[in-house]
Amino acid sequence: MLKTIQCGELRPEHSGQEVTLAGWVNRRRDQGGLIFIDLRDRWGICQVVVDQETAPDAHNHASNARNEYVIQVVGKVRMRPDGTSNPELATGDVEVVASEIEILNAAKTPPFYINKEDSIDEVVRMKYRYLDLRRPKMQRNIVLRHRVIKFIRDWLDAQGFVEVETPILFKTTPEGARDFLVPSRLQPGKFYALPQSPQQLKQLLMVAGYERYFQIARCFRDEDLRGQRQPEFTQLDMEISFVEREDVIQLNETLMRALVKAVVPEKRIMEEPFPRILYQDAMEWYGSDKPDIRYDLRAVDVADLAGQSGFAVFVNNVAEGKPVKAMRVPGMAGNLSGTRLRTVAAELEDMAKAAGAKGLAYMALPLEEDGEVRGPVGKFFTVDQKLALFERLGAQPGDLILFMSDRREVVWAVTDALRPHLAKELGLLDPTLLGYCWIVDFPEFLWNEDEQRWDPSQHLFTMPMPEDIPLLDTDPGAARGSQYDMVCNGFEVAGGSIRIHDRALQEKIFPLIGQDMDSAREQFGHILEAFEYGVPPHGGIAWGIDRVVAILAGEPNIREVIAFPKSQTGSDVMSGTPSSALPAQLEELHIKLDLPEEEEIEA
Ligand code: ASP
């Protein structure tokens, strides 16, 4: 080894020892006869002192070194002189007095500071990802990711799970996205599909008798990269035989709780056991099936009261059976001036409109007992109606009350758009808090208006709730699936279901989702056939590992916890991926390109 100890590991107990260090120059301060180098490796930073008088050669090399040079230092550890300790560094009580220094590799001036937590342009970070990953914060994230995965592996192993690798080159496994296709050279004209998840294979492993399977699995979905999606991402994929919904929920909750305690003990889980919320309630209260429950801000049904008011919009909507919901925003009205209140309300209304609403009515409650309720709709409610409303909402002086009334789906969308914004404004987002919950009782299908058919709300292998199976024939939209999602801080972190394990029932699903039996057999014949050879009842789940790690790391974006992520256009800007193929490669695959004009020129 070119080093005998890690820079970040030096402590007072090493004082007096001769050590060899190697790492990167984080910073160098030249004070003439003395040069100080902060030397960095993955374990941390320590201070090296080079004295021209006692070590002239070392001093000479040190004066040539620049930031990010890779150097090796031989020297003796000593306590720092009184009053010069650095409490910011774990190694801050000691320093290494260098006797020899060797420059192992020089470095150009990096395009951004490695040694400062500056905000850096994302494109530059991605282009020089290897330098970005060198930054201590990124190293912490990547190491945390390793810890998370290691903990999961060890924990599941102790529970009798086996990790089985499933192929990347496979057949379409739909999870609602587009497949990435890979042309086959040996069978011209045929294609593999990269798996959107190992769903079918894990179910086949249950048929094969493995009973407890998991995999840290890479999944591929060719979607437009809205928000934070990545075309390839990592799941903890899991499947278990002879289980019911409750078993899968319990096991995963136990694992998540143990994981949090092991890897981020400084974080606090808001409620244990994780609360269970029915899908329908989540939509009605929060407008989302992945609500952030760290704050309440919920939509409350006030249709009965609003329908009695003199406000025509509410009255008409109620008559048409549309909801009227009110959300109490604690203290938001406070003592805002009239102008400021109108500006705040207009901003919120713009957000509501962007979510599909026609407007957003409000009432601002005064701080004083005898003050006036402000806002355009107040006058349409009698004093008693207002009191009943405030009581239902638990309203307090200074609160802002927002009203949403439209089609059910629009009210959901508005609620979902406003909640996180308001929470941020009110400072309700506690970064140390983990608000886990389970969402259960999803509908088995969601209506696809464009295609005029049902879509599976999870995927086509989800077992309907046993008591709802007869509804498949009469009212599929009312059937609930045995699906469960684990949600944390407003993100779905895991989702799964008990599966159909009966061929006849599975075959019933295809026509409902608009797939004819011939194409279903062509695509899924292998699994249908397997269902005739003794299938254990089974169920499973998949965790979005990137999201789980991002939340535990306190990072808003999953790109911060993926070593080499793709950009919004699906590229790796560092390597220039995707790139053109050589004509000879295409020929071998019998592929002719037929690109629109400009793109051909660009390519
Ligand atoms: N395969 C599903 C997914 O990737 C999860 C599951 O049902 O286990 O979302």
Side-chain angles (χ1 to χ4, degrees):
M1 283 294 293
L2 301 184
K3 44 159 91 180
T4 58
I5 191 165
Q6 313 298 354
C7 296
E9 283 177 357
L10 290 177
R11 296 290 180 277
E13 76 226 40
H14 300 114
S15 175
Q17 281 182 21
E18 174 96 1
V19 294
T20 306
L21 305 170
W24 287 259
V25 174
N26 194 60
R27 211 155 67 94
R28 192 186 63 108
R29 277 156 294 145
D30 197 333
Q31 299 188 350
L34 283 186
I35 293 175
F36 293 92
I37 289 175
D38 289 343
L39 192 63
R40 187 187 69 235
D41 63 17
R42 212 190 81 206
W43 288 264
I45 291 175
C46 70
Q47 175 164 289
V48 174
V49 199
V50 202
D51 187 336
Q52 188 168 27
E53 243 165 61
T54 54
D57 276 355
H59 187 272
N60 196 20
H61 287 138
S63 52
N64 290 328
R66 295 288 173 271
N67 281 0
E68 301 311 315
Y69 272 41
V70 181
I71 66 170
Q72 186 188 37
V73 176
V74 179
K76 202 173 211 165
V77 186
R78 72 169 183 208
M79 297 303 290
R80 290 202 199 184
D82 269 354
T84 62
S85 290
N86 180 355
E88 309 258 295
L89 287 182
T91 62
D93 288 328
V94 293
E95 61 190 6
V96 172
V97 183
S99 51
E100 288 167 44
I101 286 189
E102 192 179 337
I103 293 180
L104 299 176
N105 200 241
K108 292 210 286 190
T109 305
F112 48 80
Y113 288 111
I114 311 289
N115 57 9
K116 285 191 196 154
E117 297 277 318
D118 280 353
S119 66
I120 310 158
D121 180 57
E122 174 117 19
V123 177
V124 182
R125 287 180 60 196
M126 291 304 159
K127 179 149 168 42
Y128 297 94
R129 188 61 161 176
Y130 44 88
L131 294 179
D132 189 36
L133 287 171
R134 200 185 272 176
R135 296 188 303 135
K137 180 173 113 136
M138 291 306 288
Q139 294 205 343
R140 276 197 300 276
N141 288 351
I142 298 300
V143 171
L144 176 69
R145 185 183 179 108
H146 159 76
R147 296 255 165 277
V148 166
I149 291 175
K150 171 149 182 8
F151 185 91
I152 290 172
R153 282 206 161 104
D154 292 347
W155 195 92
L156 289 172
D157 174 66
Q159 301 282 325
F161 281 78
V162 274
E163 182 164 17
V164 183
E165 288 172 89
T166 54
I168 296 294
L169 295 175
F170 195 59
K171 203 171 176 171
T172 183
T173 295
E175 295 274 0
R178 202 178 286 117
D179 285 325
F180 278 102
L181 294 177
V182 180
S184 161
R185 179 183 59 81
L186 296 176
Q187 297 182 42
K190 299 243 165 89
F191 294 84
Y192 303 95
L194 304 186
Q196 294 185 33
S197 83
Q199 186 63 36
Q200 296 180 56
L201 293 154
K202 68 173 168 175
Q203 291 193 239
L204 291 171
L205 286 168
M206 295 303 105
V207 181
Y210 286 84
E211 297 200 32
R212 293 185 156 218
Y213 144 92
F214 83 100
Q215 180 179 191
I216 302 295
R218 200 65 69 82
C219 304
F220 306 85
R221 299 183 189 176
D222 187 3
E223 297 176 290
D224 295 330
L225 302 186
R226 280 181 285 122
Q228 302 195 11
R229 297 203 181 147
Q230 285 284 317
E232 55 178 305
F233 57 95
T234 306
Q235 287 189 342
L236 159 60
D237 195 46
M238 186 191 295
E239 199 72 11
I240 322 171
S241 293
F242 307 112
V243 280
E244 292 174 315
R245 176 168 90 165
E246 192 57 30
D247 304 307
V248 185
I249 288 184
Q250 289 294 347
L251 183 122
N252 280 273
E253 181 168 330
T254 311
L255 170 54
M256 184 60 89
R257 285 156 68 173
L259 172 68
V260 167
K261 273 152 212 163
V263 302
V264 285
E266 70 281 9
K267 300 237 175 191
R268 189 163 61 82
I269 294 177
M270 185 170 146
E271 198 179 328
E272 296 177 78
F274 302 167
R276 307 271 177 97
I277 305 176
L278 302 183
Y279 169 85
Q280 203 56 42
D281 288 341
M283 299 311 289
E284 294 303 335
W285 298 341
Y286 309 116
S288 165
D289 59 2
K290 35 184 187 304
D292 192 337
I293 59 160
R294 283 176 297 172
Y295 48 88
D296 197 35
L297 294 178
R298 69 173 76 183
V300 175
D301 180 5
V302 295
D304 55 332
L305 297 169
Q308 303 290 319
S309 74
F311 189 48
V313 176
F314 291 167
V315 175
N316 294 341
N317 281 353
V318 171
E320 287 172 27
K322 289 180 185 156
V324 183
K325 299 276 193 69
M327 188 194 292
R328 162 182 179 243
V329 191
M332 183 111 179
N335 47 11
L336 292 182
S337 71
T339 331
R340 186 75 197 118
L341 176 63
R342 280 190 295 277
T343 315
V344 168
E347 272 169 22
L348 296 175
E349 181 163 54
D350 284 346
M351 297 187 69
K353 284 183 174 164
K358 292 181 203 70
L360 184 72
Y362 68 93
M363 286 184 198
L365 272 56
L367 279 174
E368 322 74 39
E369 282 279 306
D370 52 353
E372 283 278 305
V373 170
R374 294 182 290 168
V377 290
K379 59 176 179 286
F380 297 109
F381 286 71
T382 66
V383 172
D384 285 346
Q385 283 167 347
K386 272 186 264 199
L387 285 177
L389 180 75
F390 299 159
E391 191 179 303
R392 180 160 316 160
L393 298 173
Q396 300 293 321
D399 286 355
L400 182 68
I401 296 175
L402 303 172
F403 293 90
M404 297 158 293
S405 183
D406 208 305
R407 280 190 304 115
R408 189 176 74 146
E409 289 74 13
V410 173
V411 172
W412 290 346
V414 174
T415 310
D416 187 33
L418 291 176
R419 287 185 79 248
H421 169 79
L422 293 167
K424 203 164 158 205
E425 292 283 296
L426 296 172
L428 299 176
L429 294 173
D430 179 349
T432 63
L433 196 59
L434 298 170
Y436 285 102
C437 61
W438 287 99
I439 309 293
V440 293
D441 285 13
F442 283 78
E444 174 85 8
F445 304 106
L446 294 172
W447 183 246
N448 184 330
E449 192 60 43
D450 295 338
E451 311 266 333
Q452 289 293 304
R453 59 166 161 80
W454 296 105
D455 278 337
S457 91
Q458 191 203 17
H459 50 56
L460 53 91
F461 307 107
T462 304
M463 173 90 108
M465 295 288 272
E467 61 272 33
D468 290 359
I469 291 177
L471 289 172
L472 295 185
D473 297 317
T474 54
D475 186 4
R480 290 161 306 155
S482 57
Q483 186 188 341
Y484 31 77
D485 279 2
M486 191 198 287
V487 169
C488 182
N489 294 4
F491 293 97
E492 179 195 330
V493 289
S497 59
I498 299 299
R499 324 298 185 187
I500 296 171
H501 63 275
D502 171 74
R503 176 169 184 154
L505 185 55
Q506 185 66 67
E507 290 195 340
K508 211 167 201 168
I509 303 291
F510 296 115
L512 282 169
I513 59 173
Q515 213 174 28
D516 66 78
M517 275 322 292
D518 285 344
S519 77
R521 287 206 181 99
E522 148 91 28
Q523 258 188 49
F524 302 110
H526 54 288
I527 202 162
L528 293 172
E529 192 179 1
F531 279 4
E532 293 181 283
Y533 287 96
V535 190
H538 59 285
I541 196 165
W543 296 23
I545 286 292
D546 307 299
R547 174 61 57 202
V548 167
V549 177
I551 291 174
L552 299 184
E555 289 289 1
N557 196 307
I558 59 172
R559 289 197 293 275
E560 303 299 316
V561 298
I562 299 174
F564 298 102
K566 302 279 190 296
S567 74
Q568 290 289 311
T569 53
S571 341
D572 178 303
V573 287
M574 178 182 70
S575 64
T577 306
S579 55
S580 317
L582 296 174
Q585 291 176 307
L586 293 176
E587 212 167 290
E588 246 176 359
L589 295 166
H590 302 276
I591 290 180
K592 281 206 180 72
L593 296 183
D594 180 15
L595 299 173
E597 292 282 304
E598 328 96 286
E599 283 181 41
E600 204 157 27
I601 293 162
E602 253 177 51

